[in-house]
């Protein structure tokens, strides 16, 4: 039996595409977010609150948190399979990364819709 595959996609090509698409999505978010801040008259609590009270911004930010989690999982899975050779340590590391990624997603849900 060959080891358990714990990558996000089913193949290296899918992981490669997930990595690239999530990076592009994060870039688009940074551009939109930067534009919103630059175009604001002043940056204070009221401006910040108004921006994140908009449903489109909440959805976009949550989607970006998902993209960050996917990007981190794929990247760290690849690094761990390349450089952490002892199976137990590698599996523990991957479990920790997965818990952090899922915890971040749950935390984002709680922040935006909790």
């Amino acid at each position: 039996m060959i080891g358990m595959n714990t990558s996000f996609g089913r193949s290296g090509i899918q992981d490669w595409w997930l990595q690239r698409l999530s990076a592009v999505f994060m870039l688009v978010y940074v551009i939109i977010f930067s534009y919103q801040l630059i175009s604001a008259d002043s940056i204070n609590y009221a401006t910040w609150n108004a921006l994140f009270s908009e449903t489109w911004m909440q959805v976009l930010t949550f989607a970006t948190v998902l993209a960050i989690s996917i990007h981190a999982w794929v990247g760290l899975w690849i690094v761990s399979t390349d450089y952490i050779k002892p199976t137990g340590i590698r599996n523990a590391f991957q479990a920790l990364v997965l818990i952090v990624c899922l915890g971040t997603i749950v935390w984002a849900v709680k922040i935006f819709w909790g």
Side-chain angles (χ1 to χ4, degrees), residues 3-74:
M4 183 175 78
N5 183 4
T6 57
S7 70
F8 195 78
R10 290 180 283 178
S11 72
I13 296 295
Q14 288 174 336
D15 286 343
W16 187 87
W17 275 109
L18 283 170
Q19 195 81 13
R20 281 14 176 222
L21 291 174
S22 63
V24 169
F25 192 87
M26 289 184 284
L27 176 64
V28 169
Y29 179 81
V30 167
I31 292 168
I32 291 169
F33 186 74
S34 298
Y35 173 76
Q36 292 294 320
L37 290 180
I38 291 168
S39 66
D41 293 333
S42 65
I43 300 174
N44 54 31
Y45 177 77
T47 306
W48 195 260
N49 190 34
L51 178 61
F52 282 96
S53 294
E54 299 288 334
T55 303
W56 70 268
M57 189 62 175
Q58 291 175 339
V59 170
L60 185 62
T61 303
F62 180 72
T64 303
V65 169
L66 286 175
I68 290 167
S69 295
I70 290 168
H71 194 87
W73 170 251
V74 171

